Amino acid sequence: MSEPVTAGPAGWITLPDVSEKLGVSISKVHQMIREGALLAVRRDGIRLVPAELVANDTVLKHLPGVITLLHDAGYNDEEALRWLYEPDEALGGNAAIGLGGDLAREVKRRAQTAGF
């Protein structure tokens, strides 16, 4: 098991809160995590989602694609989280922040090369 990410999200939300925010059932949230459309990690035994990854009432548009690219490169969820929150000023602070704006394509391009 890899070490928990040290630098990370500004905030965390629980799966029931994600369910409420997205207007879907908790079962659907679990399905989204299983299918790689959403990233969740355990903290103190509770599965949490970085708050920045759920914008308004939807998951960030390019997040599922980036998660898939990272998983294909051999990253587990904890490593993918670390990658998303690695400090990078060229992406507005980190890849998670970049995904929410005009830098999403650059984040996807970097995720494509992450396994090499």
Side-chain angles (χ1 to χ4, degrees), residues 36-68:
L38 186 60
L39 189 64
V41 294
R42 286 198 185 275
R43 294 291 182 265
D44 299 321
I46 300 169
R47 289 180 89 184
L48 300 170
V49 174
E52 297 93 344
L53 302 183
V54 182
N56 302 320
D57 61 351
T58 186
V59 172
L60 291 180
K61 179 180 178 181
H62 299 284
L63 179 64
V66 168
I67 293 171
T68 298

Side-chain angles (χ1 to χ4, degrees), residues 64-81:
V66 168
I67 293 171
T68 298
L69 290 167
L70 294 174
H71 284 166
D72 288 351
Y75 286 60
N76 63 32
D77 287 346
E78 197 68 54
E79 292 164 336
L81 181 73

